[in-house]
Amino acid sequence: MLNVQTEHLENHTARLTVEVEPERLEQAMRQTARKIAQKGRIPGFRPGKAPYNIILNLYGREYVLSETIETLGNEIYREALDSSGIDPYAPGALEDVNEEDGLKLIFVVPKRPEIDLGDYRDIRVEHEVAEVTDKMVDDAMENLRQGQAVLEPADRPAQMGDQVTFSHIEVVMLAQDDADDEGEDSDEDSGETEASAESSDESGEVAEEGDHDHGDEDDEDDEHGERVLIHQHGYDRVLREDVDDLFPGFSAQIVGMSAGDEKTFTLEVPEDYDTEAVAGRTLRCDAHLEKVQARTVPEWSDDLAKRISQNEIETILELRIKVREELQQEAERLADQRVLEEALQRLVSGATMHYPDEVVEDYLDDLLEEIDQNMRQQGLPLKEYLTIAGRTEEDLRSEYRERAIWRAERALGLGELVRREELGVTPEDVEAEIDRISQMWGGEDASRFRQYLATDQSRNNISNQLVSDRVLGRLVAIAKGENPPVGPDQPEPAAESQAEPAGAAEDTEDTAEDVVETAEASAAEPEAVDEQTDIAD
């Protein structure tokens, strides 16, 4: 039995000091010496036949000991864990080798996180579902009608109501100082200048061919306070002068431009603008117009209702009822989402968590990997970006550390909630979900799709998704005061999506709020993908 002394450290690690019996060390060193003799050429001796003392004299005791510890240390480490009862989060490290009073190996082990959720069942968040008004239904119906507009090429300058396509468009929210300079230097009468230096250079983006969006939810203001809100190619936009304009006054600046025209202009966003992040700020827009199309919007009729619903709905009245139902469902979904966000904050803040630094470092690794993948899609790997920006990976790790801590604590809290609420997923659950998904396809397609879902990776993804759905749904139910019983819910599977009037619940075009939310999405928002990955760990 090993003599193991265990010291629990403040950073949720343990130091294990293990005394190695002299006999065991001697035996292990002799085994190491034989291996050395077999590999090396020792004059006067056949391979593996040199005596132990000759090996010690030739290679030195310290070398033989270090080679011995390479193998013996792993054995002793495993035995020390069993003896101490330490449950490790990750592999430990050999901190020191002490020979002052016999051989002692000193290991430092990161311990598995310990989570106490406290009285999590007492979490309550008010569930407020927004009223679906007649005006909301009217607006959604109008969006559907507008979506059925017939487009025709227009060989003329753009007018209000046209659909235009930008080969390139960039919208940058200027720093306050820069905005003042723009106001002094710009020609207020026309608001038009020649597009000069590539705006993508300012934002650190790399312009590429094709239709893509360079917005990044992790974008931060640069050192000058600027923020790229939009950077796209092949961007379609209907010119309108109502509240659904991209930004106040944006369409008015595009009116009069023809295909092939380029224009750079600034917009002064009113202080009382609904989207707080850009309210009162100055935006610089760089627009390259590629195409102008006239739009003819059809009048309402039962035939139009059929076309919108792909023949699932016969009349305008039925369509309106369907739209109201969808808006109600969306209102309830948003209410649940708000409950989830607040409940998740309270779950984490109300929990007592102890975990080693390695947990945060792992989440930092994941964050930097995500950033690297996103930047590679734009043609600029993270290492190259850091070189250009004169920054180091440590700078980035320091910048994202708080976000990694939030992700880690959220995942730890939800993982403990899965355990406490007994929401784990069985192989039978996964099989049933594969069956359900496969049934959405018909004939040979269903069989092929099922084969794809049956792979180990797909099964793992399905398992993670089921766990995520269960734990997030359970947290919402608790916060709403529904007092659900412990154990997995068995709700009816979500109905297969019907042919529904796309866009009924929301406008298909980006508004300023959509753009800014994308550019500013914070780590505080529940990220389903993280939950799917993290909870199962």
Side-chain angles (χ1 to χ4, degrees), residues 369-436:
E369 177 64 24
E370 291 173 19
I371 294 170
D372 184 42
Q373 290 178 359
N374 290 336
M375 297 192 73
R376 285 180 182 277
Q377 292 175 2
Q378 300 173 27
L380 185 67
L382 179 59
K383 285 187 178 180
E384 292 184 22
Y385 162 75
L386 291 174
T387 300
I388 294 170
R391 304 181 68 191
T392 66
E393 183 176 316
E394 284 307 309
D395 293 335
L396 212 58
R397 295 182 80 87
S398 176
E399 178 181 339
Y400 281 90
R401 186 170 183 82
E402 288 302 315
R403 184 170 301 185
I405 290 173
W406 164 238
R407 281 194 176 189
E409 292 187 348
R410 185 186 60 199
L412 291 173
L414 288 171
E416 179 63 12
L417 188 62
V418 169
R419 188 188 70 80
R420 293 280 296 272
E421 292 290 311
E422 301 177 10
L423 298 174
V425 171
T426 67
E428 291 75 21
D429 293 332
V430 174
E431 197 67 28
E433 183 66 4
I434 291 175
D435 289 340
R436 187 187 71 81

Side-chain angles (χ1 to χ4, degrees), residues 139-156:
D139 290 344
M141 291 284 287
E142 181 61 18
N143 286 336
L144 291 174
R145 188 173 77 96
Q146 292 290 334
Q148 296 297 311
V150 177
L151 302 179
E152 298 176 290
D155 188 16
R156 56 166 174 74

Side-chain angles (χ1 to χ4, degrees), residues 246-406:
L246 181 59
F247 296 100
F250 174 83
S251 292
Q253 289 284 347
I254 305 302
V255 167
M257 291 180 66
S258 298
D261 287 351
E262 300 177 6
K263 184 176 182 179
T264 299
F265 55 90
T266 58
L267 298 173
E268 301 294 335
V269 182
E271 293 282 354
D272 60 352
Y273 190 53
D274 288 344
T275 306
E276 184 178 347
V278 296
R281 301 296 294 270
T282 299
L283 310 181
R284 184 184 67 239
C285 307
D286 183 20
H288 298 230
L289 194 62
E290 177 182 356
K291 183 168 54 179
V292 178
Q293 293 175 291
R295 299 172 68 254
T296 302
V297 182
E299 295 298 327
W300 274 115
S301 67
D302 288 344
D303 285 340
L304 179 60
K306 290 180 182 180
R307 188 158 71 247
I308 290 172
S309 66
Q310 300 179 4
N311 294 320
E312 291 292 328
I313 290 175
E314 295 291 329
T315 67
I316 299 174
L317 177 59
E318 291 174 350
L319 179 62
R320 188 176 180 87
I321 293 172
K322 176 68 172 176
V323 166
R324 185 179 290 275
E325 290 174 352
E326 289 183 351
L327 288 172
Q328 184 63 42
Q329 291 170 4
E330 177 66 8
E332 292 172 0
R333 187 194 69 79
L334 290 174
D336 282 351
Q337 182 69 16
R338 286 189 290 269
V339 169
L340 174 59
E341 292 174 8
E342 178 62 25
L344 190 49
Q345 291 278 3
R346 296 188 189 183
L347 180 75
V348 173
S349 63
T352 301
M353 300 187 180
H354 301 287
Y355 53 84
D357 292 340
E358 283 81 356
V359 172
V360 177
E361 293 302 318
D362 284 346
Y363 278 87
L364 274 169
D365 290 343
D366 292 342
L367 272 169
L368 264 59
E369 177 64 24
E370 291 173 19
I371 294 170
D372 184 42
Q373 290 178 359
N374 290 336
M375 297 192 73
R376 285 180 182 277
Q377 292 175 2
Q378 300 173 27
L380 185 67
L382 179 59
K383 285 187 178 180
E384 292 184 22
Y385 162 75
L386 291 174
T387 300
I388 294 170
R391 304 181 68 191
T392 66
E393 183 176 316
E394 284 307 309
D395 293 335
L396 212 58
R397 295 182 80 87
S398 176
E399 178 181 339
Y400 281 90
R401 186 170 183 82
E402 288 302 315
R403 184 170 301 185
I405 290 173
W406 164 238

Side-chain angles (χ1 to χ4, degrees), residues 422-462:
E422 301 177 10
L423 298 174
V425 171
T426 67
E428 291 75 21
D429 293 332
V430 174
E431 197 67 28
E433 183 66 4
I434 291 175
D435 289 340
R436 187 187 71 81
I437 297 173
S438 300
Q439 289 171 6
M440 297 170 63
W441 301 80
E444 295 182 1
D445 288 339
S447 177
R448 285 197 297 268
F449 197 62
R450 199 186 193 294
Q451 289 180 353
Y452 165 74
L453 293 177
T455 64
D456 290 342
Q457 182 61 52
S458 292
R459 286 179 181 274
N460 185 59
N461 292 340
I462 291 171

